[in-house]
Amino acid sequence: MGIEEKLPSGFMLTSVEVLAGYMRKASLWPATFGLACCAIEMMTSGAPRYDLGRFGMEVFRASPRQADLMIVAGRVSQKMAPVVRQVYDQMVNPKWVLSMGVCASSGGMFNNYAIVQGVDHIVPVDIYLPGCPPRPEMLINAILELHQQIQNMPLGVNREEAARAAEAAALKAIPTSQMKGLLR
C-alpha cells in the first residue's frame, strides 16, 4: 500500500539521487584551460562538426566560478601548477577534472624538471584521456564516461565519504617518478 499503487499507470518514481545525477550530468559547464596542442582538439570538439552543445556544454566558461568541469588539455609546467590549483580551488562544488592528453596525464615525452609528471599531483583527476593529441571523438567519449560517473555519484554525506576515501587512496599512491620496472 505505497504511493506507487495510488499513482496512475505510466507514472515513474525515482530517488532524489538519481534525479540529481541526471540533472548534473546534463549541465556540465567546462572551464577553458588549454595549455598546449591538446587545446586545439578541445576547441574543435565545441565546433559544429562535433557539437558539444548536444550535451549541454557548448559554452566554455572563462571564469572558474561559473564552471564545474576543468579539462586540463596539454602539458603543465612547474610555473603553471599553482595556477591550475588556484583555478581548481575557485571552481564551484561539485567539480570534476578531465586530464586530456598524455602530457597532462603523465608528463608525456617531457620527462624533465620543468614539466609536472601528471596533473594528478596537483588536482584530483576523475577521467584520464590518453593520446597525443587525443581526437575530439575521444574527448566526447571521455565526457560521456564522466556523465556516467556523475549520474551514479552519491549525494550528501555519502558523497563526502567517497571523496575522502578517493583522496586518501590517491595520496597513498606511489608517484610515477618513483615507480620501477618498465617506466625506468
Side-chain angles (χ1 to χ4, degrees), residues 130-165:
C132 183
R135 299 276 308 140
E137 297 94 346
M138 296 171 67
L139 177 60
I140 290 172
N141 185 47
I143 289 170
L144 291 176
E145 290 294 322
L146 184 62
H147 280 182
Q148 291 301 319
Q149 282 187 15
I150 293 169
Q151 189 166 6
N152 299 326
M153 183 180 287
L155 293 177
V157 178
N158 297 334
R159 188 177 145 281
E160 292 172 6
E161 288 175 10
R164 269 191 242 114

Side-chain angles (χ1 to χ4, degrees), residues 20-74:
Y22 180 78
M23 296 302 175
R24 279 186 182 164
K25 85 167 189 159
S27 65
L28 281 180
W29 287 2
T32 53
F33 212 85
L35 298 170
C37 47
C38 290
I40 302 299
E41 300 294 327
M42 180 177 68
M43 289 181 246
T44 303
S45 66
R49 182 173 182 169
Y50 299 102
D51 193 21
L52 275 177
R54 295 177 289 169
F55 310 111
M57 302 175 57
E58 63 270 2
V59 180
F60 281 84
R61 303 297 165 181
S63 169
R65 290 175 183 88
Q66 297 175 347
D68 53 5
L69 170 63
M70 177 192 280
I71 302 174
V72 181

